[in-house]
C-alpha cells in the first residue's frame, strides 16, 4: 500500500516499529542503518500524526522519549529488595579468598560462575508491568532512590514495551552509561562553545540521569546494560528459578540490552582468565569499565549463600587498578596539527598507569591549560582512559614551588616561526602558514594513513625526513618519488634507507593509486570531512569533478551534511592551490571516479543476502570478513532477526548464536563461511 492511501493508524504503527528498530540498531548494536537526520524525520512524522490523532498515541510510542515538562525535583521510591553494593577484590589472591569462603559455606559444591563487565556508570532499577516500563529509579542509598522514569525513557536502547509473552511483572537492574565517543563529542562541543569540559563519562552520566528536563537527557544519548533479573520475592515459579546465565539470555530475548561479553566459567581458573583478559582489553571498549563482576550462576546456591547487610555473598567485584596516577610536568610543548591547530602537550616524568608507561599527556588547548593553570614543574594527576590519549586532570597546587610561574602560550609557530593567530570563537591557536613543515608533515601523514590512502611503506620517520629534506611538499609529490631517490635517504644512525625498503615504499605508493574515491576524498583532509562524510560525498557525487562542481546548496541536500561541512568543501575546491594539487594527483592516475576501482565491479552473487558476524574469527577480523561479504554484494547487519540469512559464528559466539538458533537462521562456522565465499568467487 502506498503511503498516500495508508491510514494514519497503519502509518503510525509502521513508524513506531521502524523507529524502534533503528533505536535498537543505533543504541544496542551500534550499527545504525540510517542517519540521525533521517531518524529525526521519521520521529517528526510520527509526532505529527499523534498530534493530529491523539487517540493513536500509545504509552510505548518512541515520541514519549523526548519532551516532557521539567519536573520539580524527584519523587522517592523504595527498593524491594534493596539495591545492595558489591564486595570488592583487587587481586587474584583476594578473589581466591572469596572463592574459599564460598566453599567453606557450601562444601562439596561445584560452583559455576557468570563473569560480567562492571560497566562504570550509574545503576538503575527498572520495573515493567504488563510489558510496559512503569518505573525507573536510581540506586540512591540502596533502600530509597530517585524516581527518574521520564529521564530513563529517553535512553533509546531501553525498550518502553516488551514483546508479547513478557512476564506480568519484571524487575531488572541495569547500568546506564555514556559511551566514550559520545562523551568526547560532548566535550568537543563544549570546548567549541567555550564551556568548561566534563571530567569523565561516569560523572557526566550521574549528572545527566538527574537532569530536570528530560529533553536535555535525550540529547546526551545515554546507553544501558542490564545485568540482573530480580526474581519476585518468594517466587518459586519458573522465572525465579532460572540460572543467572539463562536469565541474561532471556532478558536479551525480550529485547533488553545485555552486553554479550559475559561468560560462564566452571572454575576459578576460568574466572581469573576472564578478569585478566578484560583488564588487558578494557581500552578497546567504547565505554569505561572499572572491573569485572563474578556471580554464582545457580539460583538455589544464591539463596543458600544469602547476603550481608551490605552485599550479596554470591557475587564479588574484581576491581581494576585506577587509571590515574601522579607525576611531574617536565615541559609543555606545542604540537602542530594538519589544520595548523597548535595544541599544548605535557611532557611528563614517566609514570606507570594501568600497566603502561605514560610520558606525554594532552592539555587540549591553551584555554583549558590556563583554566587548570598547569605549569612546568607542577605535580599533576593524569588519567588514562583506554585508547584515549592520557590527559592532565588537575594540578596538585600544594606541591608547587615558590618560583613557579604561569605558563605563557607561544606567540609563534614552533615549526616555522610564523606568528600564531587565534580565530574568533575558537579556543585554539593556529599557524596559518600553508607551507609550515609541521602542517605539511601532518597532512601527508593523514593522506597516507590507514583509513585514507593506506600507504603502508610510509611511516612517520620517512614522512618526516621527506618533508625536512624538501623532497615532498604535498601529497602529489609522493607519487614522483623514485627508488633511487628514496634509497639514499639517511636514517638517524647515518645508514641509507636502502633499495629494498625504497622499492617497498614505491610499490605501496603505486598500489595506493587504486584506492576508491571515498578514501581519496577523505585523504585530502578537507576540514570536517571524516571518513563517513567522505563516503557520503563519493556516493552522492560520483567523482572528484562532480564534487568540484557541487554548489553549497547541492552539498547541503545530502543527508547529514550541514552548512559547516558544505562551506568547508566549497572553500577547499575554491582554492587555487588545492585545484593544482588535484590536477597533479589526477595526472598520477589516482581514482577520480566512483566504481572504477574494481571493488564494486563484477558479479554480486550474494546480492540480497543478509549476514551477521559474531564471535572471533581465526586469522582475520569481523570487519575484514564484512568487507569480503560486501564485495560480493551481500549485506552485513549488527543483530540477528527474521531477515538474517546467515549468522557467521566464530569462537566464543554468545547471545547472537542462541538467537539465530531460536529463529532457525542458518549458522556457518568459519570453515563453512570461507567455503561459501570461495564458492561465490571470493
Ligand atoms: P559498588 O558501586 O562498588 O558497590 O558496585 C556495585 C555497583 O556496580 C552496582 O550498583 C552497579 O551500579 C555496578 N555494576 C556495573 N556492572 C554490574 C554488573 N554486571 N553486575 C552488578 N553490578 C554492576
Ligand atoms: Zn607553522
Amino acid at each position: 500500500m502506498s503511503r498516500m492511501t495508508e491510514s494514519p493508524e497503519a502509518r503510525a504503527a509502521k513508524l513506531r516499529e521502524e523507529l524502534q528498530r533503528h533505536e535498537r540498531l543505533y543504541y544496542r548494536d551500534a550499527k545504525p542503518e540510517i542517519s540521525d537526520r533521517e531518524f529525526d524525520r521519521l520521529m517528526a512524522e510520527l509526532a505529527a500524526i499523534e498530534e493530529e490523532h491523539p487517540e493513536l498515541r500509545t504509552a510505548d510510542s518512541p515520541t514519549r522519549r523526548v519532551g516532557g515538562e521539567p519536573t520539580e525535583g524527584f519523587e522517592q521510591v523504595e527498593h524491594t529488595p534493596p539495591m545492595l553494593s558489591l564486595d570488592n577484590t583487587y587481586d587474584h589472591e583476594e578473589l581466591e579468598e572469596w572463592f574459599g569462603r564460598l566453599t567453606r559455606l557450601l562444601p562439596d559444591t561445584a560452583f559455576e560462575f557468570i563473569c560480567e563487565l562492571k560497566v562504570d556508570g550509574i545503576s538503575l532499577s527498572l520495573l515493567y508491568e504488563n510489558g510496559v516500563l512503569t518505573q525507573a529509579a536510581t540506586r540512591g542509598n540502596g533502600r530509597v532512590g530517585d524516581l527518574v522514569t521520564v529521564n530513563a525513557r529517553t535512553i533509546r536502547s531501553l525498550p518502553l514495551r516488551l514483546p508479547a509473552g513478557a512476564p506480568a511483572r519484571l524487575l531488572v537492574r541495569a547500568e546506564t552509561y555514556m559511551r566514550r565517543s559520545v562523551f568526547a563529542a560532548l566535550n568537543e562541543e563544549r570546548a567549541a562553545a567555550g564551556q568548561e569540559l566534563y571530567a569523565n563519562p561516569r560523572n557526566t552520566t550521574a549528572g545527566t540521569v538527574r537532569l530536570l528536563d528530560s529533553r536535555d537527557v535525550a540529547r546526551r544519548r545515554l546507553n544501558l546494560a542490564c545485568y540482573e533479573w530480580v526474581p519476585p520475592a518468594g517466587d518459586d515459579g519458573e522465572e525465579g528459578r532460572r540460572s543467572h546465565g539463562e536469565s541474561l539470555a532471556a532478558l536479551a530475548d525480550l529485547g533488553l540490552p545485555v552486553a554479550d561479553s559475559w561468560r560462564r566459567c566452571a572454575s576459578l581458573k576460568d574466572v581469573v582468565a576472564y578478569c585478566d583478559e578484560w583488564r588487558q582489553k578494557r581500552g578497546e571498549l567504547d565505554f569505561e569499565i572499572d572491573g569485572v563482576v563474578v556471580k554464582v550462576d545457580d539460583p538455589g546456591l544464591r539463596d543458600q549463600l544469602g547476603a550481608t547487610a551490605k552485599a550479596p555473598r554470591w557475587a564479588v567485584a574484581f576491581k581494576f587498578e585506577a587509571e590515574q596516577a601522579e607525576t611531574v610536568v617536565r615541559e609543555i610543548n606545542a604540537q602542530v596539527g594538519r589544520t595548523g591547530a597548535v595544541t599544548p602537550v605535557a611532557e611528563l616524568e614517566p609514570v606507570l598507569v594501568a600497566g603502561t608507561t605514560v610520558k606525554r599527556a594532552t592539555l587540549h588547548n591553551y584555554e583549558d591549560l590556563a583554566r587548570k593553570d598547569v605549569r612546568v614543574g607542577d605535580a599533576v594527576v593524569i588519567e588514562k582512559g583506554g585508547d584515549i590519549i592520557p590527559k592532565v586532570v588537575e594540578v596538585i597546587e600544594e606541591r608547587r614551588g615558590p618560583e613557579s610561574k604561569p605558563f605563557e602560550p607561544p606567540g609563534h609557530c614552533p615549526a616555522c616561526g610564523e606568528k600564531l593567530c587565534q580565530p574568533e570563537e575558537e579556543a585554539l591557536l593556529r599557524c596559518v602558514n600553508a607551507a609550515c613543515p609541521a602542517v605539511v608533515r601532518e597532512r601527508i601523514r593523514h593522506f597516507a594513513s590507514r583509513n585514507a590512502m593506506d600507504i603502508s611503506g610510509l611511516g612517520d620517520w620517512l614522512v618526516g625526513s621527506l618533508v625536512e629534506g624538501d623532497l615532498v611538499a604535498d601529497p602529489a609529490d609522493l607519487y614522483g618519488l623514485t627508488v633511487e631517490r628514496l634509497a639514499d635517504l639517511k636514517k638517524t644512525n647515518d645508514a641509507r634507507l636502502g633499495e629494498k625498503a625504497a622499492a617497498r615504499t614505491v610499490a605501496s605508493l603505486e598500489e595506493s593509486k587504486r584506492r576508491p574515491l571515498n578514501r581519496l576524498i577523505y585523504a585530502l583532509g578537507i576540514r570536517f570531512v571524516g571518513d563517513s562524510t567522505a563516503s557520503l560525498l563519493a556516493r552522492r557525487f560520483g567523482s572528484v569533478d562532480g564534487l568540484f562542481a557541487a554548489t553549497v546548496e547541492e552539498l547541503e541536500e545530502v543527508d547529514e551534511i550541514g552548512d559547516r561541512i558544505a562551506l568547508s568543501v566549497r572553500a577547499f575546491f575554491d582554492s587555487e592551490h588545492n585545484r593544482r594539487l588535484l590536477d597533479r594527483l589526477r595526472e598520477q592516475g589516482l581514482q577520480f571516479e566512483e566504481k572504477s576501482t574494481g571493488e564494486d565491479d563484477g558479479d554480486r552473487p550474494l546480492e540480497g543476502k543478509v549476514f551477521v558476524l559474531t564471535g572471533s574469527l581465526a586469522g582475520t577480523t569481523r570487519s575484514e570478513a564484512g568487507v569480503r561479504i560486501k564485495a560480493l554484494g551481500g549485506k552485513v547487519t549488527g543483530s540477528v532477526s527474521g531477515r538474517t540469512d546467515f549468522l557467521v559464528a566464530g569462537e566464543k559466539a554468545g547471545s547472537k548464536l542462541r538467537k539465530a538458533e531460536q529463529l532457525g537462521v542458518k549458522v556457518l562456522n568459519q570453515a563453512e563461511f570461507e567455503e561459501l565465499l570461495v564458492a561465490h568467487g571470493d
Side-chain angles (χ1 to χ4, degrees), residues 567-585:
L567 288 169
S568 166
V569 171
R570 201 52 259 159
F572 181 89
F573 286 105
D574 283 341
S575 141
E576 192 51 42
H577 178 85
N578 290 336
R579 286 192 209 177
R580 273 200 303 270
L581 169 69
L582 284 165
D583 284 342
R584 287 166 55 227
L585 289 173

Side-chain angles (χ1 to χ4, degrees), residues 114-116 245-246 248-249 258-264 274 658:
I114 301 293
C115 293
E116 297 161 18
E246 282 163 358
L248 288 178
V258 175
D260 55 13
S261 39
W262 63 270
R263 187 184 300 164
R264 190 187 304 277
Y274 182 92
R658 273 194 302 278

Side-chain angles (χ1 to χ4, degrees), residues 83-88 90 115-124 139 173-176 202 225-228 244 248 262 289-295 310-311 314-317 319:
M83 294 180 80
L84 296 180
S85 175
L86 290 170
D87 285 331
N88 290 326
Y90 292 92
C115 293
E116 297 161 18
L117 302 184
K118 190 168 188 300
V119 181
D120 202 5
I122 295 298
S123 52
L124 290 180
R139 180 161 83 165
R173 303 268 156 93
E175 194 82 355
T176 182
R202 203 201 87 92
C226 296
Y227 57 74
E228 201 67 51
H244 180 54
L248 288 178
W262 63 270
I289 57 175
D290 61 343
V292 162
V293 185
V294 186
K295 300 173 178 173
K310 185 201 152 229
W314 45 262
V316 76
K319 298 269 261 201

